[in-house]
Amino acid sequence: MMFVTVSPNTLSLSPGTEVILHDQTWEDYEQLLKIRQDKTFPKIYFNAKTGVILLMSPLQNHGKRIDALRDLVKILLRYQNQDWDCFDPITLKKFEQAGVEPDTCFYINNYQAILGKDRIDLTVDPPPDLAIEVDLTSKTRVEDYLPIAIPELWIYRRGELLIYLLEGDRYQNSQASLIFNNIDVKNLLPKYVELAWNNRSSLALRQFEQDWLNENK
């Protein structure tokens, strides 16, 4: 059974459910963010073009998979000797256009621009280089990310890693990552994300380092 509570002081949604609100405005979106305050859930998305607000509260297995995927990305970045900064949870807003809350995101090429910042202001700060969503009980709408203009968006859904690259005014589904252009992350990472879920995260990360990193030294 789904429970939704919206009041001047409370915004809550039962785990594993989502609520779609139509004919919403930027002011409605900002009000919901204000009611939620600094809590992590429910996640709130807004698209001014469609007038839709999405409220989503993930299940436990959502968090375990995103943790594994985040850690795997960090291992690959270290392997490539790249610096980065990682944010989660985070709210990314483009005034009167859109608001998204990726499960995690990485600043890689632009990490120096946001060092020491508690909040990202897209009127002055660049967007993240990579955003990652894990879809279990809801489905990420790629078009919601267009106003935010994140160059690369990953969506992990049903054991598959979908890669979207921003090209002009749209996202294109891609078989390869720009960030990891010499690594087949689309086919490599899901195996270890599911290993983390079915066994344990420490085993999956250790196995990844043994199986793949040792082969590519």
Side-chain angles (χ1 to χ4, degrees), residues 2-4 11-21 32 36 39-46 53-63 66 100-103 132-141 144-145:
M2 180 176 66
F3 293 96
V4 184
L11 177 61
S12 64
L13 182 64
S14 348
T17 58
E18 71 173 24
V19 172
I20 298 175
L21 306 176
L32 287 174
R36 189 188 64 179
K39 296 178 182 177
T40 304
F41 300 121
K43 295 172 66 177
I44 307 174
Y45 294 74
F46 172 69
I53 288 177
L54 170 66
L55 306 177
M56 190 270 287
S57 185
L59 291 168
Q60 178 184 2
N61 51 357
H62 173 278
I66 193 61
V100 297
E101 298 189 331
D103 290 314
I132 303 176
E133 294 272 19
V134 171
D135 286 0
L136 290 175
T137 56
S138 62
K139 188 173 181 179
T140 299
R141 297 171 297 189
D144 289 347
Y145 275 84

Side-chain angles (χ1 to χ4, degrees), residues 73-133:
V73 169
K74 290 179 179 179
I75 290 174
L76 291 177
L77 289 171
R78 286 197 295 270
Y79 167 77
Q80 293 187 335
N81 294 315
Q82 294 198 69
D83 291 314
W84 75 87
D85 210 345
C86 180
F87 283 84
D88 56 89
I90 187 172
T91 300
L92 299 169
K93 299 188 293 183
K94 187 65 70 75
F95 182 66
E96 292 189 341
Q97 296 182 55
V100 297
E101 298 189 331
D103 290 314
T104 192
C105 65
F106 286 84
Y107 279 87
I108 304 167
N109 298 324
N110 293 313
Y111 78 91
Q112 291 181 321
I114 48 79
L115 291 178
K117 294 189 175 183
D118 295 324
R119 296 181 183 273
I120 302 302
D121 181 356
L122 293 181
T123 61
V124 295
D125 299 321
D129 298 289
L130 171 65
I132 303 176
E133 294 272 19

Side-chain angles (χ1 to χ4, degrees), residues 24 108 132 175 189 195:
Q24 302 295 294
I108 304 167
I132 303 176
Q175 294 300 306
L189 298 186
L195 181 62

Side-chain angles (χ1 to χ4, degrees), residues 7 15 70 142 144 155-156 193:
S7 71
R70 182 192 304 110
V142 177
D144 289 347
I155 300 175
Y156 187 77
V193 173

